[in-house]
Amino acid sequence: MLIASRNRLARLQYGPNGFRVLESGDHVLCAVTGAPIGLDELRYWSVARQEPYATAAISVQAALDTARRA
């Protein structure tokens, strides 16, 4: 039933070396921009905040913003 996961938001648990699918789907949404990220394209996330990011630059900016708030 791979077709059932098409165009469906996945729920993931992010770890230091990868992620685990908690609810099947084919994409997640960038925590900053809201842009869809295909699971096969997902490369950047925060383990501490459990958030995915669309690009490395967005990931770094999110980390800097969090550090400034602390």
Side-chain angles (χ1 to χ4, degrees):
M1 300 281 310
L2 293 174
I3 295 173
S5 295
R6 286 186 100 127
N7 296 319
R8 186 169 171 206
L9 188 63
R11 195 166 70 95
L12 307 178
Q13 179 178 23
Y14 302 97
N17 298 314
F19 53 84
R20 186 173 74 147
V21 177
L22 301 176
E23 288 184 23
S24 64
D26 65 344
H27 70 282
V28 292
L29 299 178
C30 176
V32 175
T33 66
I37 310 164
L39 296 188
D40 57 335
E41 301 292 320
L42 181 59
R43 303 285 183 270
Y44 309 102
W45 59 82
S46 167
V47 175
R49 292 183 302 281
Q50 291 293 293
E51 296 178 336
Y53 306 109
T55 67
I58 293 170
S59 172
V60 170
Q61 190 59 52
L64 291 173
D65 291 347
T66 298
R68 281 188 204 115
R69 286 187 232 124

